[in-house]
Amino acid sequence: MTEKADFLAACRDLLGEAYVLTNDADTAPFLTDWRDRFTGKALAVLRPATVEQVAGVLRACAQWQVPVVPQGGNTGLVLGSIPDDAGTAVVLSLARLNGIRALDPVNRTITVDAGCILQTIQEAASAAGCLFPLSLAAEGSCTIGGNLATNAGGTAVLRYGNTRELCLGLEVVTPQGEIWSGMRGLRKDNTGYDLRDLYIGAEGTLGVITGAVMKLYPQPKACITALAAMPTPAHALRLLSLMQDNCGASLTGFELMSQYCLQLVAEQFPQLPRPFAEAHGQYVLLELSSSQSEAHAVELLEASIGAALEDELIADAVVASSVAQSEGLWQLREHIPLAQAQAGKNIKHDISLPISCIADFISVTDAALATAFPGCQLVCFGHLGDGNLHYNVAPPLGMTDRDFLSNQDAINHIVHDQVHGFGGSISAEHGIGALKKADLARYKSPLELQLMRAVKQALDPQNIMNPGKIL
């Protein structure tokens, strides 16, 4: 037997023949990224069902020095869970490791397998009278392990924080096949280095997350949604300050959308609502959650909207009067990525900035791109309340996707240079993966890169964990 055959035979003995996929038809769904931009190759796709099986796979990979690409729901945007085209790596799918292990309503925690679908966790929490607040467009297919590996954000970061802030404990299989159990549902634990924070956001380059203890919160008594229209991002920032001053922690969502974003949604999804008869430069979708009552939330929101109108921060606003209307307004925001995908290819940027700099960044960067690439269309939206913009660039009318994408490096440099100049980050919630690896080296300091490489070398000296990602 060759070494390759020996390795695959060991995997079949461990997992069973049906869960070691090698033919093209079976492996294809695991090898192409969500945006259909790249298709890799794999020696096999391995589908363990238990933590012990994951550990066994990692021991075999260490023995035969086979690279491992961990994968959850494969909804990432930076090629972090897709193998390269060498065909020497295995994809380690956590999809079968998908159970809810425990739910403690008193400690307000839920303990889950890494392959558990985010929406499943939300629904289990709701059934127990609790809230799991992580929410993002891919919640019906993304997994909590992938959310943790990328430190995902979503629409509720303003109030509840990123996935890192929602996690109390982890279970991780090391590259050597050992199981570290840090599944303590503690909110205070100062006993040395915080290993949990080391693995969160590491994109599977240091080990495989197999389980997690996540925080739960009380369900709000009411959630009220409104859509406000205004001329510029600067007006939106002033509205954010007003809402935070008036509403405090009750403000749980604050999403910025440009006019072009809603125009794109209207073109691709004409069945969705059009709240305003006239077009405005910018829109903010905001949500208030009240622990008291719906009447309290409505009173607070209407008073704040009234103050914003009086101060001329906004030109118009609609407040949802029913759950259906609220869902309709949120669908406008959630359909922006889908509308982009249907309209054609675009160059995505997931960036974060000091909130106070966002209006200036948009103004300066819009102008720089218009000069360098006349006619390009800017799809700017995002989580304004936590400083995260999805600043995407679409081709000018009449230009083919292929011709436009040939400018990707130049466009990335313009956008990321401005981000760096404003003291921001080139990745807010999507991660680095393979797509942004060169950009990371361009903007991180030599010392930061040196320290990151030292951590990688210490934990994964064979470099078998997701090689070619981040570093």
Side-chain angles (χ1 to χ4, degrees):
M1 273 191 167
T2 66
E3 287 192 2
K4 170 182 170 182
D6 288 342
F7 168 75
L8 291 176
C11 291
R12 291 186 180 101
D13 288 343
L14 178 66
L15 304 179
E17 182 82 27
Y19 302 109
V20 179
L21 312 181
T22 56
N23 71 61
D24 292 346
D26 292 335
T27 61
F30 302 88
L31 302 182
T32 299
D33 75 298
W34 182 79
R35 295 177 65 198
D36 199 24
R37 294 276 295 274
F38 180 80
T39 298
K41 297 178 182 178
L43 177 61
V45 174
L46 308 179
R47 304 188 65 216
T50 67
V51 178
E52 292 72 24
Q53 287 184 345
V54 175
V57 166
L58 267 292
R59 287 193 293 271
C61 290
Q63 178 182 344
W64 277 280
Q65 297 188 24
V66 175
V68 185
V69 180
Q71 187 178 101
N74 194 19
T75 60
L77 298 174
V78 293
L79 308 182
S81 60
I82 296 295
D84 60 22
D85 57 6
T88 57
V90 293
V91 173
L92 182 65
S93 170
L94 280 297
R96 295 178 67 218
L97 198 69
N98 59 7
I100 293 175
R101 303 186 191 180
L103 194 154
D104 186 340
V106 176
N107 196 43
R108 293 203 185 277
T109 54
I110 185 167
T111 304
V112 296
D113 290 335
C116 196
I117 299 295
L118 174 56
Q119 186 173 326
T120 301
I121 301 174
Q122 296 168 344
E123 291 169 352
S126 179
C130 299
L131 170 71
F132 184 63
L134 181 63
S135 180
L136 49 144
E139 61 194 27
S141 51
C142 67
T143 65
I144 194 64
N147 300 146
L148 287 159
T150 58
N151 189 27
T155 58
V157 173
L158 174 62
R159 168 64 178 85
Y160 298 101
N162 282 34
T163 311
R164 184 187 303 278
E165 282 73 45
L166 299 175
C167 180
L168 294 176
L170 284 184
E171 176 184 77
V172 175
V173 177
T174 71
Q176 295 75 36
E178 299 174 304
I179 301 172
W180 168 61
S181 181
M183 301 282 272
R184 296 175 291 274
L186 303 175
R187 287 159 176 83
K188 292 184 176 181
D189 181 11
N190 289 319
T191 52
Y193 303 132
D194 196 331
L195 300 178
R196 171 196 59 185
D197 275 353
L198 195 61
Y199 291 106
I200 296 173
E203 301 183 50
T205 61
L206 303 179
V208 180
I209 295 172
T210 53
V213 182
M214 308 301 294
K215 294 179 186 176
L216 299 178
Y217 293 83
Q219 283 188 341
K221 296 290 193 300
C223 290
I224 305 298
T225 306
L227 185 67
M230 64 220 61
T232 69
H235 287 79
L237 289 178
R238 291 169 61 196
L239 177 64
L240 174 62
S241 294
L242 182 149
M243 296 299 300
Q244 288 177 320
D245 289 344
N246 288 1
C247 307
S250 295
L251 183 65
T252 51
F254 199 92
E255 300 285 310
L256 180 71
M257 304 175 285
S258 70
Q259 162 58 22
Y260 183 67
C261 291
L262 291 197
Q263 176 186 326
L264 200 59
V265 171
E267 291 171 355
Q268 300 298 326
F269 300 97
Q271 74 277 17
L272 294 181
R274 300 189 184 191
F276 302 107
E278 297 181 7
H280 301 270
Q282 301 289 329
Y283 303 88
V284 164
L285 180 66
L286 52 90
E287 181 179 84
L288 260 62
S289 300
S290 174
S291 59
Q292 298 182 32
S293 66
E294 182 175 344
H296 174 261
V298 170
E299 181 181 357
L300 193 59
L301 179 58
E302 289 183 345
S304 300
I305 292 292
L309 286 166
E310 185 175 341
D311 291 346
E312 298 183 344
L313 301 185
I314 62 177
D316 201 354
V318 294
V319 178
S321 59
S322 67
V323 172
Q325 287 185 5
S326 177
E327 290 175 348
L329 293 179
W330 272 106
Q331 283 182 346
L332 294 175
R333 163 62 179 85
E334 291 164 355
H335 277 69
I336 295 173
L338 300 175
Q340 288 182 96
Q342 290 190 187
K345 300 295 186 184
N346 56 91
I347 297 172
K348 293 183 180 293
H349 304 97
D350 163 52
I351 58 176
S352 65
L353 296 147
I355 295 171
S356 55
C357 297
I358 285 178
D360 289 339
F361 166 83
I362 292 174
S363 176
V364 170
T365 311
D366 283 4
L369 287 169
T371 299
F373 301 96
C376 69
Q377 301 174 92
L378 302 172
V379 189
C380 181
F381 64 102
H383 320 299
L384 190 67
D386 54 68
N388 176 194
L389 288 182
H390 299 300
Y391 187 87
N392 303 333
V393 188
L397 293 175
M399 180 179 285
T400 67
D401 288 342
R402 181 176 181 179
D403 287 344
F404 180 66
L405 292 177
S406 69
N407 299 309
Q408 179 162 301
D409 288 345
I411 288 175
N412 286 348
H413 284 169
I414 291 173
V415 175
H416 290 161
D417 281 353
Q418 292 295 339
V419 170
H420 188 68
F422 278 98
S425 168
I426 65 169
S427 179
E429 59 182 5
H430 292 169
I432 297 298
L435 195 62
K436 298 182 181 179
K437 185 171 59 172
D439 288 322
L440 185 74
R442 179 182 172 96
Y443 299 104
K444 280 283 189 185
S445 73
L447 179 58
E448 285 177 298
L449 292 171
Q450 176 189 328
L451 293 172
M452 290 170 67
R453 290 190 180 102
V455 171
K456 172 71 170 173
Q457 175 63 27
L459 295 184
D460 181 23
Q462 290 182 286
N463 191 30
I464 64 170
M465 292 305 310
N466 219 3
K469 312 297 167 54
I470 302 182
L471 296 171

